Amino acid sequence: MIVSELILPVALVIGVLVVGAYLVAVLDEAIAGAIGMPRGGSAWLAPLTQGAWLLTQHANATEAPDWQAWRLAPALYLALAAIGLAVVPFSPTLIPTDLVTSVVLWGSVEALATVVIFLHGWSANTLLALIGAYRYVALGLSYILISMFVLIGVALPAESLQFSQVVTSQEGLWNVIRQPLGLPLFLIVGLGMTFWGPLNLADSRDLAGGTASAVSGPPRLVWNLARAAMLVAFSGAAASAFLGGWLGPWLPGPVWMLLKMLAVLAVLLLIGRLVPRLQPERCVTLMWVVFLPLSFVDLIWAGAAAFFL
Amino acid sequence: MAVSWLQRLAARAAVPVFPVRGMHGEEVLYRLALTPGIKLVDSPRHASILLVAGGVPPDQHDALRRVHDQLPGPFATLWYRSEPLDELAGATRLDDPDALPEALKTIHRELMSGKRGSSPRLLPDEPPNPWEGLGDDGHGGKGMMGGVPYGRPMAMNMTDDIRDGLTLDSLTVTLGPFLPMLPPGLTAEVTLQGDLIQSWTTHSAPYPIALESVFFQALQGPVPIAELERARARYHLKRLHFALRLAGLDRLALEALRLAFAPHPGQDRAMALRRRLVRCGFFRLTTTGRGRLDENQARRVGGIAARAPGLEEDLRSRDAAYRRLEFTPIIQGGADTNARWCQTLAEIEQALQLADQAERDAVHTQRSDGVETPRGPWHEQWPEEASDLLDDLLPGLEWDEAMSTLASLDLAPLSPWSLEETSGAPVPTSVEERRA
Amino acid sequence: MDYPLIVDVFFVLLATLAVVSGWRVFATDSMVRASFFLLVSFIAVGVIMILLAAEYLGVAMFFMMAVEMMVMAIFMVMFMMNPAGLNPMMMVHQHKFSIAAGAAVFLVLATVALLAEFPDSPLPADLDPVASLGDELLGDSMLIFESAGIVLLTTMIGVVVLSSHRGRYGAADEGSMPPGLVPGGDPAGMPEEDDEGDGHHHCH
C-alpha cells in the first residue's frame, strides 16, 4: 500500500520533473541553435555543464537580505511545480494525487507562485530584483484570472473539478477543438507564470535578470530548475485540460501524455525564442483589454457548448 | 586536490563573462557576442570572469571595485586594454582582441580546475550603513519620521504623483556607470516608485564613442562614399544589436551584428532583417509611443533623433556627389522610440543602398568642410553630448520604457580617436588626460 | 470515527504551524514578512480543512489567501512611509489594548470550543463534498449567490473598462475634460477653480 500510494506517486512526480526540466533546457538550446545562435557544445551537454558550474560557484550575499525568504523562494517554487504536476493524470489509474478539486488546486499553485516570485525578488534587498518582483505581482493577477475562466471552461463539460474527469470528458472531442480559444489563452498563462519568453517581465534582461539578478551559485541553479519544472508541470495541466491527456490510439496512455506534454513545451519554447519581450504597460493592456474579455467569451462558448451538445 | 568530475564538467560550460564597458571597449564585446562558447551576462552575480574592456577613469575606480566584489567566488579578472586597479596588479592584461576569446576560456578552465585562485576581495565585507537601532517603530527614528535603517531614509512622498495616484513609496538609488542597460559611463541618481521613474538626475555623461576613421578622413579630403556609408550602417547595426538584445530578441540581435561584420553587407539583408522585426512584433510589442523628444531636444541630439520627427537635417544633402546618387534625407513622422528605430532601420537600408550605388560608379565625397556622422552633423564642432536631457525625458516612464528609450537615443559624445586607433595601436596618452 | 493515526499527527503538526506562524506575524519587523506569515498560517488551516473532508473549501483557501495576502502586502507598502517595505519596522502598536482584546477573544473562543456541542454524526460514505457544496450554492441559496456573482462580474467588467487607456472624454494619460453644456463652453460638472491657492494645486 505504501508503495502504490506514497513511493510510486512521489517517484513519478520527481522523475517527470527532473527529466522534464532537463529536456526543457536541451530543447531550448536546440531551438536556439536551429534558429542560428552560436553554439559552444552539444545541446545535450550544455544544461549539465551549466548546472555543474552553478554548483561550483559560491552562493553570494547581498546587504541585509531576508535570508529565510531568499533561500526558501527557489525551493518553494520548485515545490509548487511538484504540487502542480502531482494532480496531472497520466492514465486512468496512474494519477499521483487524484484530488476531486485538482483543477482548483492548479489555480492555487498559480496564485501561490505569485507570492513566491514576489518574495524571491523582494527579499534580495536590491533594486533590480525588487522591480522584477513588483512587475510580476502587477501582472500575476491577470494571469490568474484568465487561467481561472479558461479552466472553468474545461470543467463545465466534465461536470467535475477533477483533471481525470476533464480528460474523460474529452473522449468524443478534445477541448482544443471544442473550445478553440481555451488552449491559446492557457498558453499565455503558462508563459506568464513561468515568466518565459515574451512574458519574461520578472527576470528580464532590462533588469539584468530581475528577481534572479542578485542570486548566484546553487540557489540560482534551483531557481532555474524550478522555472523549467514549472513549465513541465504547466504542460501537464495544458495537455490534460485541452489535448485529451492520456487519450489516443495505439500507444499506451502515459506515452501519449508525455508526447503531448512535449508538444506543448516545444510550442512554448519556440514562442519564447521568436517573440520579443512585451513592454509591461502594453502587456497589462493586452491582458485586461484583450485576453480577459476573450476568456469570458471562451467561458460563454464552453457553457453554450456544454448545454447544447 | 584531484579535479572532481563536477569541476571537469563545470570547466566545459559556456564561459560566463560580465563585461565592464570602459572607454572604447565596446568593439571587442561585439566580437565576443559572436564567439561560441562565451556568454556575456548582464549581472556580475552570474559571471565567473570580470572582463574590464577599455580604460576606466580614476574617479570611477570605486564603482569598479564594487562591481569587482559582486562577483561570487571563484572568479578572475581580465583587463583588455585597461590598466588593472592597483590592488590587482598581478591580474591578466591583454591588448590583442584576437587572443581574447581563448584567454577567457583558459582562465575559466583554470578557475574551475583550481589552478588559478579566486581574485581577492577589494572592499571590506561590512555593511556601508550599519543597523541604526530600534526607535519608536523599529526603524530607528521618532514616530513614523526620521531614522535611516541601512542608510535608506524612510520615504516621504512630498511631490505630486506623476501618473495614476497609485503611489508606491519612493526609493532613491544611484545607477551606473557599469549597469549593462545604460550607455557605458553614464551615472544618474534616480528616484523610483515601483518601476516608475519619478526623477532622474544625470551625474556623469557616457564615455565617448569612437567612429571609424573614414569619418575623420572625410573632413580632410574626398573619401569613397561606399566606405563612408558602410561605416554608417555598421555603426547603426551595432546600436540595433544592443536594443534587440535588450528586447529579448537574441537571435535577431546577432543577425544585426553579423550584418555589421559582414565584408559586403547588402541592402537585401537589411531589408530582410527589417521584415523579420516587423513580423515578430518588435515595433508593436516593445514600444508604447513614449520617449518623445520635443523639437529642441531632437535638434540637440541630432542625427537619427532629429530626422525621425521630420527635421530634414543632413549634411549629406549639401554634397553634390550625394545629390548625384539621388540622396534625399529619410524622415519619419514621430519623435518617440518606435519612430527612432524605424528611422534607424530605414537609414541602414539607405546607407547600404547608397554604398552599392557609389561603389559601382566609384563616387567620392566632394565637400570636406563637414561630415554627417551617424551621431549627427559634424561641421565646425562635434555633435554635443546631450545626456542631461534625460533628466526631463525619463521621469514618468516605466523602467522598461526608460531603458528602451535610452537604447534608442545616441547621447554619447564622440571620441577624438577613431575606432581603428582605439582598437589597433595602443593609445599614447590616456583618454582621461586629454579630456581634462 | 475510523481514520488512520497519520491524520492526527498531521492535524497536530498543522495546528502548531498555524499557531506559530500566526504568532510570528506580530513578532516580525517587516510588513511583507508579516503578510506572508499570515499566509502560512492560513495555508495550514486550509490543509486542516482538507483533512476534514472539506476539499473544495480547503483548496479555495489557498488561492484566495495567496492573492489576498499578496494584495495586502502591496497595499501596506503603498500606504506606509517605508521604501518598498524594505526597512524594518515594528508591527505591533497599542500594546495594552491589543493584549486585552486578544485575551478576551481567546477566552470567548476557548469557551465556545469547550462548551459547545459539536455534531457527531458520521459522514455518509458516498458524500461528495464538492457536489453538496454546489447544491448549497446553487440550490436554496441560489438567489443570494447569483446576485453576488453578478455584482462581482459587473465589478470585473468595470475594472477592465477603467483600466483601459481610452477614457470617456479622451485618453487617460492626457487628462479628460467633459464637453461643455453649450458648444465651446466651460467643461460641464467641473467646479470653479478658486484662487485662494491653499496648496492643493501644484502647477507644473
Side-chain angles (χ1 to χ4, degrees), chain B residues 166-182:
Chain B
L166 290 172
T167 54
L168 284 163
D169 282 323
S170 49
L171 197 59
T172 302
V173 288
T174 308
L175 302 176
F178 306 120
L179 197 65
M181 296 77 76
L182 302 184

Side-chain angles (χ1 to χ4, degrees), chain B residues 131 134-139 144-145 147-150 152-156 158 160 166-171 290, chain C residues 29 74-90 92-93 165 173 200-202 204:
Chain B
W131 167 233
L134 286 167
D136 283 358
D137 290 292
H139 54 74
M144 286 307 294
M145 309 291 173
V148 273
Y150 303 117
R152 200 187 292 120
M154 299 301 272
M156 294 277 137
M158 290 311 198
D160 274 354
L166 290 172
T167 54
L168 284 163
D169 282 323
S170 49
L171 197 59
R290 300 290 179 84
Chain C
D29 62 350
I74 293 286
F75 268 75
M76 284 206 287
V77 170
M78 284 202 285
F79 280 119
M80 301 304 283
M81 287 176 288
N82 186 336
L86 290 169
N87 280 0
M89 64 186 283
M90 192 94 88
V92 269
H93 306 280
H165 175 69
D173 57 354
H200 283 306
H201 296 282
H202 298 275
H204 293 287

